[in-house]
Amino acid sequence: KRKQPDEAVYYIKLTLQQNSQVVSDNFYVMGKEEDNLQALSKLPKATVAISGKRFVQQGEEWIGEVEIRNTGHVPALLIRLNLKGGDGEQILPVIYSDNYFSLMPNECKKIKVSYRNEDGRGQAPYVEVTGFKVNKKAHQNSDALFCLLEESLLLEGIEESDAHGFA
């Protein structure tokens, strides 16, 4: 018989590696009571730090990188990146090396973001980061944020996204 966890909500993270490289990772949120994730609404907000490298043009493509680190003490759930232009409209199509992911405390993930020049509409790109009960942490070095703005990679966070299905 399987032992029941002590917590109302618990997490399972599986990582498959080959030669020290992550090939696949999966993250699961489970409830002590099957199909009951109501306890998620009572979790404290997670805090993530965001940094990035400026977008650089390589031929007809623009490529950037965003690093997201969970600096809090609880998992950061359902993190989503959304590339937008200076006009506030999404830039589409976009290729993300990963998206819609969760981070355990102190876990960090680097995401590559790319799009074709013609799809950018001549707009300066920025990456909007949202998540379920996620706070954006200000950059520790304000000069770093200024440099990112100068290099046309803006990073924004929304304090709390819609918690679809987790009322």
Side-chain angles (χ1 to χ4, degrees):
K1 185 175 176 182
R2 190 175 83 170
K3 182 183 176 215
Q4 288 294 316
D6 294 332
E7 303 295 323
V9 174
Y10 59 100
Y11 312 95
I12 300 171
K13 180 171 177 72
L14 303 174
T15 303
L16 176 64
Q17 294 184 344
Q18 183 176 23
N19 300 325
S20 300
Q21 296 284 7
V22 174
V23 176
S24 177
D25 62 354
N26 294 285
F27 187 86
Y28 302 93
V29 179
M30 307 295 287
K32 188 173 185 175
E33 296 177 33
E34 191 171 337
D35 298 326
N36 182 358
L37 300 177
Q38 294 293 318
L40 286 175
S41 64
K42 296 177 182 143
L43 290 176
K45 288 185 178 182
T47 302
V48 296
I50 305 163
S51 61
K53 294 181 180 175
R54 71 180 187 93
F55 279 89
V56 291
Q57 190 169 11
Q58 293 182 359
E60 292 298 313
E61 187 174 41
W62 287 88
I63 300 171
E65 185 177 88
V66 178
E67 181 177 290
I68 302 175
R69 178 178 302 276
N70 181 352
T71 59
H73 301 294
V74 296
L77 304 175
L78 304 174
I79 296 171
R80 176 182 181 237
L81 280 61
N82 188 14
L83 186 67
K84 292 187 173 183
D87 59 3
E89 297 293 320
Q90 279 188 298
I91 294 176
L92 292 170
V94 177
I95 297 173
Y96 300 95
S97 61
D98 201 350
N99 211 350
Y100 297 98
F101 56 90
S102 297
L103 295 173
M104 294 300 285
N106 297 315
E107 187 178 8
C108 177
K109 191 168 271 216
K110 289 183 181 181
I111 311 297
K112 290 188 187 325
V113 181
S114 63
Y115 65 96
R116 294 188 51 79
N117 188 49
E118 63 194 50
D119 298 322
R121 304 180 310 278
Q123 299 288 313
Y126 69 94
V127 175
E128 177 183 75
V129 177
T130 58
F132 177 71
K133 297 184 88 168
V134 171
N135 282 327
K136 182 193 91 171
K137 182 178 180 182
H139 292 275
Q140 294 177 349
N141 179 350
S142 60
D143 290 341
L145 180 58
F146 178 74
C147 290
L148 290 172
L149 293 171
E150 285 288 307
E151 294 173 351
S152 76
L153 172 61
L154 304 178
L155 299 161
E156 294 186 350
I158 294 179
E159 286 194 11
E160 186 170 324
S161 70
D162 262 340
H164 298 290
F166 296 105

